[in-house]
Amino acid sequence: MKKGLLVILSGPSGVGKHTLWLPLLEDKQVNLAYSISMTTRPKRFDEEHGKEYFFVSTHDFEKAIKNNQMLEYAQYCGNYYGTPKQYVDGLRNQGKNVLLEIDAQGGLQLIAEAKKHHDLAFISVFVLPPSLDDLIKRLQTRGTETIEKIANRAKVATWEVNQSNKYQYKIVNHNIDTARKELKDILLNEITRNDK
């Protein structure tokens, strides 16, 4: 069985990444599995462990780092986020194309690692907002963040957008249906290339 692709999807918080890829999990053509990230951030009321994230303590996360059990990790707004290596490898070895929705810090680590190990079975996609002003409005509309957190996310978003040229593909999320079709077309082209 051919090893699945590693799909690195990044973009600023609030750009619509989750809404973009979620319906594609049901699309048999792309054979996509979502990689659940590990985090030390507090669980929100509507989240459950092992579904949105693996929620762990800072001690356990740092132990996983020390034991080389993370594909990548980063600190964002005072919390650790990362990708458990064993979980992703297991899915890829089953032939699944594994999507990682991660911030640019982690995405750049993975891109560098994949190139270093000559793992050509990966693709990187960066999702951009139509503008930073539009992104800030989206964050305010969500109603889940304080003014200070939104200001911090806007600062981080500016840095992340500046990293987008390091990704193979860029999608501007003007319209969710158009952006989703773009993502699916990218995946199908890369899957075809990987199968050759």
Side-chain angles (χ1 to χ4, degrees):
M1 183 183 290
K2 190 95 172 171
K3 190 175 183 179
L5 288 169
L6 185 64
V7 182
I8 301 162
L9 186 76
S10 300
S13 178
V15 80
K17 299 181 295 292
H18 193 78
T19 310
L20 193 63
W21 62 259
L22 191 61
L24 294 178
L25 289 181
E26 306 300 319
D27 192 323
K28 295 199 184 333
Q29 278 186 294
V30 293
N31 189 26
L32 203 60
Y34 172 62
S35 169
I36 300 169
S37 295
M38 189 185 287
T39 185
T40 59
R41 84 150 166 77
K43 190 165 62 124
R44 293 182 185 141
F45 75 95
D46 59 341
E47 294 175 324
E48 58 183 272
H49 179 78
K51 189 175 177 193
E52 285 82 13
Y53 286 98
F54 296 117
F55 294 96
V56 299
S57 68
T58 301
H59 171 75
D60 287 347
F61 200 107
E62 288 174 347
K63 190 173 160 189
I65 294 168
K66 189 178 172 193
N67 294 332
N68 198 28
Q69 295 171 332
M70 305 302 289
L71 267 179
E72 58 76 35
Y73 66 92
Q75 272 194 304
Y76 184 75
C77 296
N79 294 299
Y80 280 115
Y81 292 83
T83 306
K85 194 183 287 186
Q86 188 177 359
Y87 180 74
V88 171
D89 288 346
L91 290 169
R92 288 183 74 192
N93 289 335
Q94 293 170 34
K96 292 275 188 190
N97 299 308
V98 181
L99 183 131
L100 278 70
E101 182 189 317
I102 55 177
D103 71 2
Q105 214 179 333
L108 295 174
Q109 280 180 44
L110 276 180
I111 291 165
E113 277 298 302
K115 286 178 179 175
K116 187 168 113 183
H117 297 292
H118 305 289
D119 181 357
L120 302 178
F122 88 96
I123 61 170
S124 57
V125 182
F126 196 95
V127 184
L128 291 155
S131 70
L132 282 173
D133 285 344
D134 181 74
L135 182 71
I136 291 164
K137 283 179 193 149
R138 286 184 198 187
L139 289 170
Q140 289 168 336
T141 306
R142 282 202 315 202
T144 58
E145 312 287 339
T146 63
I147 293 165
E148 292 81 17
K149 281 195 176 176
I150 290 171
N152 192 38
R153 288 191 188 276
K155 186 177 167 187
V156 172
T158 303
W159 177 83
E160 287 184 313
V161 167
N162 289 332
Q163 307 309 307
S164 64
N165 286 335
K166 296 173 183 168
Y167 284 68
Q168 293 163 292
Y169 298 95
K170 288 192 269 189
I171 297 172
V172 179
N173 190 6
H174 286 289
N175 172 283
I176 197 67
D177 294 325
T178 306
R180 188 177 295 129
K181 185 185 181 313
E182 270 187 74
L183 179 59
K184 181 178 176 177
D185 290 347
I186 289 167
L187 291 172
L188 290 175
N189 287 337
E190 291 291 340
I191 289 164
T192 303
R193 188 178 300 162
N194 190 45
D195 286 344
K196 285 179 181 173

